Amino acid sequence: MRYGRHLAFWIVTFLVLFALIWLLRAILLPFVAGLALAYVQAPLADHLERLGVNRTIAALLIVAVVVLVLLALALVVIPVLIQQGLALLSSVPGYVERIRALISQSELPWLNELIGDGASPKTLSELVRGAAGWLAAFAASLWAGGKALASFASVLIVMPVVTFYLITDWHRMLSIADSWVPPRYRETVRTLVGEIDQVVSGFLRGQLGVCFFLGLYYAIALTLVGLNFGLLIGFGAGLLTFVPYIGSLTGLLVGTSVAIAQFWPDWKWVITVIAIFLIGQFVEGNIIAPKFVGERVGLHPVWVIFAMFAFGYLFGFVGLLVAVPLAAAMAVLFRFGLRRYLASPIYSGEKPIA
């Protein structure tokens, strides 16, 4: 009876928390982003504090750097990426028609039959043109709309404040949360939280490093070879690399399609674009990811992809921010429950000792 009440209490607590997050998802972005940033930067504040810097001063320095980076992105990088994104969307119908024309002129009957029987050129062109126009209008309205500007302003203003206070009071908050755990379960909870922290910190800090280096590499390499929208495609592929394998595959498909429409019949540049992504994938899998992420993370890529799609669908951009930590916590709790199950009389079939 006692365990039943405990289980009912935690189920109700979880459902209430889930409902609150879903109801307040429209205003949670600066707070969730501030929490994520404080979690990532708290070890840096600890290091500065060990060097003799006051923790409040360390938090101010960290937040100041974050604000300067956000301002630089907002004033320099983001407008260029948005301009290239809108131009790419408007160019999609022309690229599709160009690729269809190249396929129809090829000497591969099976490819001509596959493309020709699927839809007429007019129908396909109209479909792609309509989809590209809708995406362009949606992107423009998202950037220019008051809600988007308010969200960006809230991130730029509220998030640094939240980050500063969380970094300053980080250890005190952890101590208070630890005191809430019943003493008989405290060691077990500390072990589980430590394991969750190891998984989340390893994945977040490692994957952010992977995204940064790959995005920079793709953007510079594609721009140097003269690929149209190379900056956008490169940074987009690097950003999407946060979801394992999705970024490189998406960048490869988009980059190759643009390269074929732009460079063909000069196939050397098409091969060069493909080689850029293959080299990036090789370096990521064999050098960068093992160094930054490592084997200790223990999050399967399929589980990460599913979590980001599921939480993103339920909670939007806020869901994307919390997907990996929640997926890591669920994976750790599942492994803990599985270990308890395998060690229990339910699994062995033995009667418990009275």
Side-chain angles (χ1 to χ4, degrees):
M1 182 68 68
R2 181 181 60 184
Y3 293 107
R5 288 198 300 268
H6 287 174
L7 181 61
F9 169 78
W10 286 113
I11 290 176
V12 172
T13 302
F14 173 78
L15 291 177
V16 171
L17 181 62
F18 183 88
L20 286 175
I21 293 175
W22 188 79
L23 290 172
L24 300 175
R25 65 190 184 279
I27 64 170
L28 288 179
L29 177 58
F31 300 96
V32 175
L35 176 60
L37 198 58
Y39 174 77
V40 173
Q41 298 295 339
L44 177 58
D46 295 340
H47 180 69
L48 293 175
E49 193 175 14
R50 286 193 295 270
L51 293 177
V53 180
N54 182 270
R55 190 171 186 87
T56 302
I57 302 299
L60 281 174
L61 292 174
I62 293 172
V63 170
V65 172
V66 170
V67 171
L68 290 176
V69 171
L70 288 177
L71 287 175
L73 290 174
L75 296 176
V76 180
V77 179
I78 293 179
V80 176
L81 295 180
I82 291 177
Q83 182 181 6
Q84 287 199 3
L86 295 175
L88 175 60
L89 289 175
S90 63
S91 303
V92 167
Y95 285 158
V96 172
E97 292 178 358
R98 168 70 171 158
I99 293 174
R100 281 190 61 89
L102 293 174
I103 292 175
S104 64
Q105 297 170 7
S106 68
E107 299 179 358
L108 300 174
W110 62 270
L111 190 56
N112 293 327
E113 182 178 355
L114 177 64
I115 300 298
D117 292 343
S120 66
K122 182 179 180 181
T123 302
L124 183 60
S125 177
E126 290 177 352
L127 180 62
V128 174
R129 186 178 291 107
W134 181 86
L135 288 174
F138 174 76
S141 64
L142 186 63
W143 176 251
K147 185 176 180 180
L149 291 177
S151 297
F152 183 78
S154 67
V155 170
L156 194 60
I157 297 173
V158 178
M159 186 193 71
V161 177
V162 174
T163 304
F164 168 75
Y165 282 111
L166 289 179
I167 292 178
T168 304
D169 298 332
W170 189 258
H171 293 293
R172 187 172 66 87
M173 292 187 302
L174 292 181
S175 299
I176 292 174
D178 183 73
S179 67
W180 291 345
V181 180
R184 61 179 299 185
Y185 301 117
R186 194 163 291 170
E187 288 303 319
T188 301
V189 172
R190 287 174 180 171
T191 302
L192 291 175
V193 171
E195 189 175 346
I196 293 172
D197 175 68
Q198 181 181 3
V199 173
V200 173
S201 61
F203 184 87
L204 287 181
R205 298 188 181 102
Q207 205 67 12
L208 286 175
V210 171
C211 292
F212 173 78
F213 282 109
L214 282 183
L216 194 62
Y217 160 72
Y218 287 143
I220 293 175
L222 295 177
T223 302
L224 289 178
V225 301
L227 183 70
N228 290 339
F229 318 111
L231 192 68
L232 173 67
I233 296 173
F235 276 127
L239 181 63
L240 289 175
T241 304
F242 191 82
V243 186
Y245 306 111
I246 297 296
S248 297
L249 180 60
T250 303
L252 176 63
L253 293 176
V254 176
T256 303
S257 301
V258 173
I260 292 174
Q262 176 183 347
F263 295 122
W264 196 265
D266 192 359
W267 54 268
K268 296 188 296 296
W269 293 111
V270 178
I271 298 299
T272 301
V273 171
I274 296 175
I276 287 173
F277 284 99
L278 293 181
I279 292 173
Q281 184 63 38
F282 175 81
V283 172
E284 175 196 358
N286 295 275
I287 300 176
I288 301 178
K291 180 178 179 59
F292 284 93
V293 181
E295 299 296 332
R296 62 190 178 89
V297 172
L299 283 180
H300 196 279
V302 175
W303 177 234
V304 175
I305 294 172
F306 172 79
M308 297 197 74
F309 272 87
F311 287 105
Y313 174 79
L314 290 173
F315 304 110
F317 188 73
V318 174
L320 294 178
L321 292 178
V322 302
V324 172
L326 290 181
M330 293 169 65
V332 169
L333 294 177
F334 175 79
R335 288 194 292 265
F336 172 75
L338 183 60
R339 290 195 300 266
R340 296 293 295 267
Y341 164 71
L342 294 177
S344 69
I346 300 176
Y347 175 77
S348 63
E350 301 176 355
K351 293 184 179 180
I353 299 176

